[in-house]
Amino acid sequence: MTGVVFLDIHKAFDSVDYSILLEKVQFYGVAYCPPTTFNKWRLSSQSKLLCGVPQGSILGPLLFLIYINDSSNCLKLTTPCLYGGDTQIFTSSFDISVLANNINSDLKNLSDWLTVNKLQFHPLKTKLMVVGSTYNLNTKSGDLSNVISIDNNLVARVPSDKCLEVLLNEKLTFETHIEYICKKACAGIGALRRIKPFVSLCSLVTLYSSLIEPYFDYCSPHGMHVVSS
């Protein structure tokens, strides 16, 4: 079985410390990056900002990735998956107690790293999912429900969770995600049906392309690969 923890960092982009960020940017090869580089992000505030990168920019997510990139160095027993604010750690074992110990050990290591880097978990939004066969999920995985914790807060176990806006479930099928897409698409189609008598065909096509079609296009190459295999 595989245990996956979907981590949520509390106000992640807003908590990036500029002094730590500058050190890491220079470590990764930028010989000199003056503090004035971040001045434009401070102009929106009357007070001097000491932390935070804008989420709506191109540079902001890149700087956040640089900021958390060395977090994987503290993980000894799990594998990280980092992409912007979406971070997961996972590990596999036939022994459920080994699985729990490995996850808890690295969650403690990661918690210590976050403290040093002036970040913190959002324990209520951090989730645990156990991936495995139907037999293992029914007979073995129950022991994990109340043993995984972060800073003395139990991590809630869920049957599915979002990873980069794709719903993954504990059997790694796309049933949950397909159901989610169908609900969203049906709601959009219903809205188009109601406004159809009042707008032109061109407007309906534009609304469909903006509000409904993206649900089918997002990650569609990956979905087609799964279906074909």
Side-chain angles (χ1 to χ4, degrees):
M1 289 183 295
T2 298
V4 184
V5 179
F6 296 85
L7 302 168
D8 187 277
I9 299 174
H10 183 64
K11 295 184 178 179
F13 280 65
D14 295 334
S15 302
V16 172
D17 183 270
Y18 287 157
S19 60
I20 298 176
L21 176 60
L22 285 171
E23 291 178 3
K24 295 189 178 188
V25 168
Q26 293 170 12
F27 175 80
Y28 286 114
V30 179
Y32 177 66
C33 184
T36 52
T37 302
F38 305 109
N39 278 347
K40 64 179 181 179
W41 297 340
R42 305 178 185 182
L43 296 178
S44 59
S45 175
Q46 296 287 337
S47 60
K48 184 180 179 181
L49 298 179
L50 299 176
C51 61
V53 293
Q55 298 187 47
S57 67
I58 296 175
L59 187 59
L62 175 61
L63 291 174
F64 181 75
L65 280 175
I66 292 174
Y67 195 81
I68 67 170
N69 189 60
D70 62 329
S71 63
S72 59
N73 295 337
C74 75
L75 301 176
K76 309 303 181 183
L77 303 168
T78 63
T79 302
C81 181
L82 310 176
Y83 191 93
D86 287 303
T87 303
Q88 303 87 35
I89 62 170
F90 59 91
T91 186
S92 300
S93 177
F94 291 106
D95 190 324
I96 199 70
S97 61
V98 172
L99 192 66
N101 290 335
N102 289 350
I103 293 175
N104 279 326
S105 177
D106 270 357
L107 284 177
K108 176 62 170 64
N109 294 336
L110 196 53
S111 179
D112 293 340
W113 180 92
L114 289 173
T115 300
V116 171
N117 287 272
K118 300 183 179 181
L119 299 172
Q120 59 181 328
F121 281 123
H122 197 311
L124 296 180
K125 292 185 177 180
T126 296
K127 305 298 180 183
L128 166 70
M129 187 172 74
V130 182
V131 178
S133 65
T134 301
Y135 174 80
N136 285 334
L137 291 173
N138 291 337
T139 60
K140 298 180 180 180
S141 67
D143 296 335
L144 276 178
S145 298
N146 297 305
V147 296
I148 304 300
S149 63
I150 300 175
D151 300 332
N152 297 319
N153 295 292
L154 284 177
V155 177
R157 181 179 169 184
V158 294
S160 63
D161 204 15
K162 280 187 177 182
C163 178
L164 300 177
E165 294 304 311
V166 174
L167 273 170
L168 302 177
N169 63 22
E170 54 194 4
K171 297 180 183 178
L172 292 185
T173 67
F174 276 83
E175 293 176 0
T176 308
H177 188 64
I178 291 171
E179 183 179 351
Y180 168 77
I181 290 177
C182 289
K183 287 181 178 179
K184 290 291 186 179
C186 287
I189 292 171
L192 290 184
R193 184 182 294 114
R194 289 191 292 273
I195 66 172
K196 181 180 178 180
F198 310 105
V199 298
S200 66
L201 177 61
C202 182
S203 297
L204 286 174
V205 172
T206 300
L207 288 170
Y208 171 82
S209 299
S210 302
L211 303 178
I212 301 174
E213 189 175 14
Y215 287 111
F216 297 107
D217 288 343
Y218 185 71
C219 287
S220 56
H222 177 67
M224 288 187 290
H225 170 72
V226 171
V227 171
S228 63
S229 60

